[in-house]
Amino acid sequence: MLQEATGFLTARQLHERLRRRGEQISLATVYRALQALTEDGHLDVTMGTAGEHRYCRCAGDGPHHHLVCRHCGHTIEIKGALLEHWASLVARQHGFTAVAHRLELEGECATCPTQG
Amino acid sequence: MLQEATGFLTARQLHERLRRRGEQISLATVYRALQALTEDGHLDVTMGTAGEHRYCRCAGDGPHHHLVCRHCGHTIEIKGALLEHWASLVARQHGFTAVAHRLELEGECATCPTQG
DNA sequence: TTATCTGCAAACATTTTGCAGCGAG
DNA sequence: CTCGCTGCAAAATGTTTGCAGATAA
């Protein structure tokens, strides 16, 4: 059902896509499904700068980050062991414990179909 | 007026603080002031996981990141030259250009007043 | 029967905006 | 007068929830 989420989508965007494919699904159901799948760990969630949730279908194989094309939404997963190391080091230097980190990279991908 | 924003605050939190100090300010005015100050570059904005904006008074001296205590909101600015380097390197490796990045570190600070 | 899933619409939270009042120039 | 700042309330947007009907075990 959420095979559509190959990149980062808002609930509304996913809803629109599904309806265009002919599914008669309602927005509320999309939200509920998204919620359930997120709880099960099948989806990652990030916050857009406009305050909306963005859902992404990621392999649940541990912490990673995302490189997202700002035009087409194409997403690449990044396993940033180096970053995680650096993050916990910096945090410890400042006396912080139980540190979680969140990184998002946004740019323009080389093969962006929406470039023209 | 926003000297209160020593850490990350939502508009509501700031509004509450100001009212407790006796200011008869309205929520709309808080938003408007926040908006103006953000445009002027006097405030940084991040998104909380619940979808709310969080405002922070930062020196506008170039890109940096934040280490935030999840309990008291105490915030430390981090200049991550190493991270920026790594980020643009990774992005370039994947063919991305014009890459912006956003990092947030959240943990528990050593001198947290709300630990008990 | 119960349990789950669904749609619709209302509720809810955050943020923005329209209108009017007030003080400064 | 105009201009800008303010408060109140309503609107806009994104998200959640209450209720009832359908379907499955």
Side-chain angles (χ1 to χ4, degrees):
Chain A
M1 182 261 210
L2 288 184
Q3 294 77 9
E4 298 302 315
T6 54
F8 274 83
L9 294 170
T10 65
R12 280 182 75 107
Q13 285 173 333
L14 178 60
H15 180 228
E16 246 184 74
R17 277 207 202 182
L18 292 171
R19 296 198 70 128
R20 279 187 193 152
R21 286 169 70 98
E23 313 236 13
Q24 282 289 92
I25 198 171
S26 81
L27 189 55
T29 303
V30 172
Y31 274 109
R32 279 190 273 232
L34 253 26
Q35 217 173 38
L37 288 169
T38 302
E39 281 176 13
D40 285 357
H42 298 305
L43 290 182
D44 272 13
V45 189
T46 63
M47 297 300 310
T49 46
E52 9 73 59
H53 289 111
R54 291 191 175 185
Y55 300 87
C56 172
R57 201 168 120 266
C58 300
D61 55 354
H64 58 271
H65 307 286
H66 298 108
L67 176 56
V68 186
C69 175
R70 85 176 90 240
H71 294 307
C72 66
H74 179 56
T75 301
I76 295 175
E77 293 188 24
I78 298 168
K79 303 182 201 70
L82 183 74
L83 167 70
E84 322 229 350
H85 202 181
W86 173 83
S88 51
L89 176 67
V90 170
R92 214 173 306 147
Q93 282 176 347
H94 289 280
F96 275 62
T97 55
V99 173
H101 60 282
R102 182 167 29 134
L103 172 71
E104 278 158 64
L105 296 159
E106 187 186 74
E108 301 172 14
C109 71
T111 59
C112 191
T114 62
Q115 260 183 358
Chain B
M1 181 259 209
L2 288 183
Q3 293 77 9
E4 297 302 314
T6 54
F8 273 83
L9 293 170
T10 66
R12 280 184 72 107
Q13 286 172 331
L14 178 59
H15 181 227
E16 247 183 75
R17 277 207 202 181
L18 291 172
R19 294 198 72 129
R20 280 188 194 151
R21 287 171 69 100
E23 314 235 13
Q24 282 289 91
I25 198 169
S26 82
L27 189 55
T29 303
V30 172
Y31 276 108
R32 279 190 272 231
L34 253 27
Q35 218 173 38
L37 288 170
T38 302
E39 281 175 15
D40 284 357
H42 297 305
L43 290 182
D44 272 13
V45 188
T46 63
M47 298 298 311
T49 47
E52 9 71 57
H53 289 112
R54 291 191 176 185
Y55 299 87
C56 172
R57 202 167 120 267
C58 299
D61 56 354
H64 58 271
H65 307 287
H66 298 110
L67 176 55
V68 185
C69 175
R70 84 176 90 241
H71 295 306
C72 66
H74 180 56
T75 301
I76 295 175
E77 292 189 24
I78 299 169
K79 302 183 202 70
L82 183 74
L83 167 71
E84 320 228 353
H85 202 182
W86 173 85
S88 50
L89 176 67
V90 169
R92 215 173 305 149
Q93 281 175 349
H94 289 280
F96 276 62
T97 54
V99 174
H101 59 282
R102 182 166 30 136
L103 172 69
E104 279 158 62
L105 296 159
E106 187 186 73
E108 301 171 14
C109 70
T111 58
C112 191
T114 63
Q115 260 184 359

